Amino acid sequence: MDPFGSYKFAISARATDKQIRKKSQDGGIVSAAYIHGLESGLLDGVIVADKGEDFCAVPKVATTVDEVLSAAGTKYTTSPNLSVLKNAVREYGCDKVGFVGTPCQVQSIRKMLKYPVGYRHVPDKIALVMGIFCMENFPYNGLKTIVEEHCGIKMEDVAKTDIGKGKFWVYSKWGDVKTIKLKDTHPYEQQSCHVCMDYTAELADISTGSVGSPDGWSTIFIRTANGEAYYKAMEDAGVIEIKNIDDVKPGLGLVEKLANSKKDNNGKERAHRKEIGLPLPY
């Protein structure tokens, strides 16, 4: 079983715009792709996970650069991005929609595109599907427990969260930085994440994440002809800076290790549940 799924090539990249890099996570690839799409006309609306009250994740249709930048950054909690797809088409009148989501959300949108029950007039409006690497996610209450009880920061004071170096990081608006070991966050994970087999968003046009690239850069898998065309448009416009993935550390070896770990561990959990007659959690 290929740990990465089907893809054309992989690279390490980051946005060339320093403002995007400052506001975004890692290399700022999703924000750079969205902004380039809106400015070039390749997209006329994009689905983002915006910051709601007390740092909750709220799905939103963004049609301007400022809206994309305002929503930049990973939230590490569930954002039902699919729920606003109809709004993008019917209320905002978008004809070329960009979508980004976790691997499970990417799987959902691919199913919707194939069997658009309840989504009439939407499938032909999806212009780009981007996916983000994901080992597991947290329901909002789980994230709140991690941030407030373990890190001692109120949710309303959170400026940014991150995962790296085996820790979950919380940055406050007042400059405080608190961490918790990643292994100590496992009890607060979404249970359905424990049966998901996809780490690198294998069904996206373009998937991206920090793992495998140096700090401030992102690893990118170009997976489809549509994704390749979009990537080339970004490259030609100079909105991304690129490195050969074979020339960076830690490289695809670490991505492969994590992808295989998710497939192996969660495959065993699925088999165990089947053996004892338990349904898969959703």
Side-chain angles (χ1 to χ4, degrees):
M1 183 183 295
D2 192 315
F4 307 135
S6 176
Y7 68 101
K8 293 179 176 294
F9 57 91
I11 57 168
S12 181
R14 68 178 182 179
T16 53
D17 189 317
K18 291 182 179 179
Q19 182 185 18
I20 294 177
R21 295 207 305 265
K22 182 179 180 180
K23 288 182 173 290
S24 303
Q25 208 90 356
D26 308 311
I29 297 303
V30 173
S31 297
Y34 272 0
I35 289 171
H36 173 68
L38 292 174
E39 291 183 333
S40 67
L42 289 173
L43 305 173
D44 57 8
V46 296
I47 310 300
V48 298
D50 203 1
K51 303 179 187 73
E53 185 178 354
D54 294 345
F55 205 72
C56 67
V58 180
K60 177 180 177 178
V61 181
T63 58
T64 68
V65 171
D66 286 343
E67 287 176 325
V68 172
L69 289 174
S70 176
T74 305
K75 312 302 184 295
Y76 296 109
T77 187
T78 307
S79 176
N81 287 4
L82 280 160
S83 67
V84 297
L85 265 179
K86 287 183 181 180
N87 293 349
V89 175
R90 296 179 180 178
E91 296 182 19
Y92 288 78
C94 298
D95 291 316
K96 295 170 285 187
V97 179
F99 178 89
V100 65
T102 55
C104 57
Q105 292 176 324
V106 171
Q107 291 174 23
S108 296
I109 199 169
R110 289 302 186 195
K111 289 179 181 178
M112 181 273 290
L113 290 172
K114 193 168 183 65
Y115 306 105
V117 178
Y119 280 88
R120 224 169 27 155
H121 310 307
V122 173
D124 62 342
K125 310 296 186 185
I126 307 300
L128 179 69
V129 177
M130 298 191 72
I132 53 178
F133 298 178
C134 180
M135 185 63 80
E136 61 270 321
N137 207 344
F138 303 99
Y140 180 76
N141 284 339
L143 179 65
K144 184 177 181 179
T145 300
I146 292 169
V147 172
E148 293 194 344
E149 296 185 16
H150 291 273
C151 294
I153 295 177
K154 292 293 185 182
M155 291 297 284
E156 61 262 31
D157 294 332
V158 175
K160 177 183 176 180
T161 56
D162 202 358
I163 290 177
K165 299 179 175 62
K167 297 178 181 179
F168 187 95
W169 300 70
V170 183
Y171 300 80
S172 83
K173 298 174 182 176
W174 322 118
D176 299 313
V177 181
K178 299 293 182 67
T179 66
I180 175 177
K181 291 181 180 178
L182 204 53
K183 65 179 182 180
D184 294 332
T185 67
H186 293 328
Y188 309 107
E189 295 164 357
Q190 190 88 17
Q191 289 303 302
S192 54
C193 295
H194 298 161
V195 295
C196 174
M197 307 281 281
D198 187 354
Y199 175 63
T200 59
E202 297 174 14
L203 298 182
D205 292 317
I206 299 172
S207 52
T208 183
S210 64
V211 176
S213 289
D215 289 345
W217 292 71
S218 297
T219 299
I220 305 176
F221 288 97
I222 308 300
R223 299 189 177 278
T224 65
N226 185 49
E228 184 174 19
Y230 201 94
Y231 158 78
K232 288 187 178 299
M234 292 175 64
E235 183 181 24
D236 291 344
V239 300
I240 51 173
E241 181 182 354
I242 299 163
K243 289 184 177 181
N244 189 319
I245 194 67
D246 295 326
D247 295 336
V248 302
K249 299 294 182 182
L252 288 183
L254 181 56
V255 186
E256 181 175 1
K257 178 181 178 181
L258 293 176
N260 278 331
S261 172
K262 186 170 186 178
K263 290 181 185 296
D264 292 344
N265 293 337
N266 293 358
K268 291 175 183 176
E269 176 64 19
R270 293 170 74 100
H272 173 67
R273 284 178 168 271
K274 182 178 180 180
E275 182 180 354
I276 63 177
L278 278 179
L280 299 182
Y282 291 100

